[in-house]
Amino acid sequence: MPISTTQAHRYLLALTAFVLLMGTVFYHYVEKFSWLDAYYFCVITLATIGYGDFVPKTDAGKLFTTFYVFIGVGIITAFITTTLRNRAEKAIEKRQTKAKPKN
């Protein structure tokens, strides 16, 4: 049985939060970034902005980052896609409800 877009959205929201949390913890302990800097680095990296003000310096950090980007960008993209799909479906439902003649 396929899941609804609302269920997919909730699942992807939780997965997005989990990916950001895991990245933040990793960069805090391995790269010695502050908690805020680690979180900031994760968001900037997964949003594919990459200012370059923070970069991984350890081999473990560089290796983790390569996998983190591939996995995280996919999850973030899926989350944004389902968010936009949910909004579009709600807008369509709202228009259809307004267009129905009242008897």
Side-chain angles (χ1 to χ4, degrees), residues 52-74:
D53 48 352
F54 293 97
V55 295
K57 303 226 184 303
T58 65
D59 289 343
K62 291 173 185 177
L63 187 61
F64 177 82
T65 301
T66 59
F67 293 105
Y68 187 69
V69 167
F70 286 127
I71 293 167
V73 168

Side-chain angles (χ1 to χ4, degrees), residues 8-45:
H9 185 259
R10 288 181 184 151
Y11 174 73
L12 288 166
L13 175 62
L15 198 54
T16 298
F18 177 75
V19 166
L20 287 172
L21 177 65
M22 291 298 100
T24 300
V25 169
F26 177 86
Y27 292 114
H28 175 74
Y29 287 110
V30 174
E31 294 295 326
K32 307 299 184 216
F33 293 167
S34 71
W35 286 108
L36 182 59
D37 289 343
Y39 170 74
Y40 167 81
F41 178 76
C42 291
V43 170
I44 294 304
T45 299

